[in-house]
Amino acid sequence: MELLDAIRRRKTTNGAFLPDPVSEEHQRVLLEAAGRAPSQLNSQPWRFVVIENRDTIRQIARISGESMTETMSNGTFFERYKPYFRFSQAEMDEKRSGMLFDKLPAPLRPFTGQVFTRRGQTLMNALGVPKTLGAENRRLVEGSPLLLGVMLDRSEYRPGELSSFYSVFSMGAAMENVWLTTVELGMGIQFISFPMEAPGRWDEIVELLRVPDDLELMAVYRLGYLPPEQRRPAIDWSSSQRRLASQYVFRETCDTPQRGWDEQGRPA
Ligand SMILES: Cc1cc2nc3c(=O)[nH]c(=O)nc-3n(C[C@H](O)[C@H](O)[C@H](O)COP(=O)(O)O)c2cc1C
């Protein structure tokens, strides 16, 4: 596959994977791609833990689902991220960023305008939305054949020094390599970040994975092969929209937005 095709097709998988295990050869290729990323002074600050043990995956799935229910029902999730939620295509077309909640169960649709109010939160809780979403997230994680923990060598992350920025930037490059490689291999990938949002829950995962003190667990992903037909979860979003070049590229100085590219090769 051409690299540009892979870049254009790369996306986050919100739905289920096939139950088939990820072949060892594919695991090796994914981690080779990660290790090929650029890093400050070739320090390679990343470490990875590949998780296939069903019991460990079940436990992480439980923590993830519970964290989602908790942060959605106490409002912290919506409070933190409300600038990114879109509830109509018109809003998405205007902002060209964020997450468009374009699949909602019918009883919820009339209330999208109230999601961020106290009344809206009470209503959502009464309708059991956080519970439903948490249970769905738990099922999705539990049904994943492989989880990938991404760790940062703490000695490369020295707060107050440029090294901290460099090392995190390098981790991003490594993960993008993994993400792009999933496209080539017919796989999908999704970040499991709710346990980071709920106090204390990330530490449970750190303990489960026996992450040593000299490493920081930065992220956990779920991976697997994609089914031929992707069924969308009951509540789902899409985020394939991108800004126009004129909204994020400047020419020579930051005073001059790029002109003339918006009509060509416009991202979906
Ligand atoms: C740091 C970071 C955290 C993310 N956390 C989540 C997450 O918790 N759940 C999820 O489904 N996607 C997560 N994503 C994926 C983004 O939502 C996604 O990349 C973005 O909406 C663009 O969609 P796309 O990847 O399908 O192009 C995360 C991405 C990054 C880079």
Side-chain angles (χ1 to χ4, degrees), residues 67-250:
S67 310
M68 189 182 240
T69 299
E70 179 186 330
T71 55
M72 288 200 165
S73 52
N74 66 16
T76 48
F77 181 74
F78 296 111
E79 195 47 47
R80 262 173 223 157
Y81 301 116
K82 68 178 161 196
Y84 304 98
F85 296 126
R86 321 273 176 252
F87 292 104
S88 73
Q89 187 62 50
E91 201 187 348
M92 185 53 129
D93 289 344
E94 188 208 344
K95 303 250 171 63
R96 303 192 69 94
S97 66
M99 327 283 284
L100 172 63
F101 285 79
D102 54 353
K103 184 147 188 287
L104 293 171
L108 262 184
R109 274 177 228 145
F111 303 108
T112 53
Q114 300 174 31
V115 161
F116 302 123
T117 61
R118 191 176 289 267
R119 193 167 161 255
Q121 181 74 55
T122 309
L123 191 74
M124 260 197 307
N125 290 356
L127 290 170
V129 173
K131 275 218 170 79
T132 309
L133 285 176
E136 185 138 31
N137 177 263
R138 179 177 180 164
R139 259 198 312 280
L140 284 174
V141 177
E142 197 166 308
S144 303
L146 187 145
L147 304 187
L148 184 65
V150 184
M151 297 165 294
L152 170 63
D153 177 350
R154 281 178 191 259
S155 68
E156 295 296 338
Y157 183 94
R158 297 182 287 278
E161 288 183 28
L162 271 173
S163 74
S164 59
F165 157 69
Y166 289 153
S167 58
V168 172
F169 211 75
S170 305
M171 300 288 286
M175 276 321 298
E176 178 67 353
N177 279 3
V178 172
W179 215 315
L180 290 173
T181 305
T182 62
V183 182
E184 163 89 22
L185 301 178
M187 295 176 63
I189 180 167
Q190 187 179 33
F191 211 120
I192 304 174
S193 62
F194 274 93
M196 281 193 251
E197 305 280 349
R201 304 311 306 256
W202 197 243
D203 294 340
E204 292 177 37
I205 298 182
V206 167
E207 203 157 300
L208 264 176
L209 302 181
R210 301 169 55 83
V211 178
D213 288 345
D214 57 339
L215 299 179
E216 174 87 21
L217 182 67
M218 303 292 282
V220 177
Y221 291 83
R222 62 180 194 95
L223 290 90
Y225 295 108
L226 291 172
E229 293 251 332
Q230 292 242 34
R231 269 195 51 226
R232 301 190 77 190
I235 297 182
D236 196 19
W237 68 89
S238 63
S239 51
S240 57
Q241 184 86 283
R242 292 296 190 266
R243 292 197 168 98
L244 299 169
S246 58
Q247 295 172 312
Y248 72 94
V249 181
F250 301 91

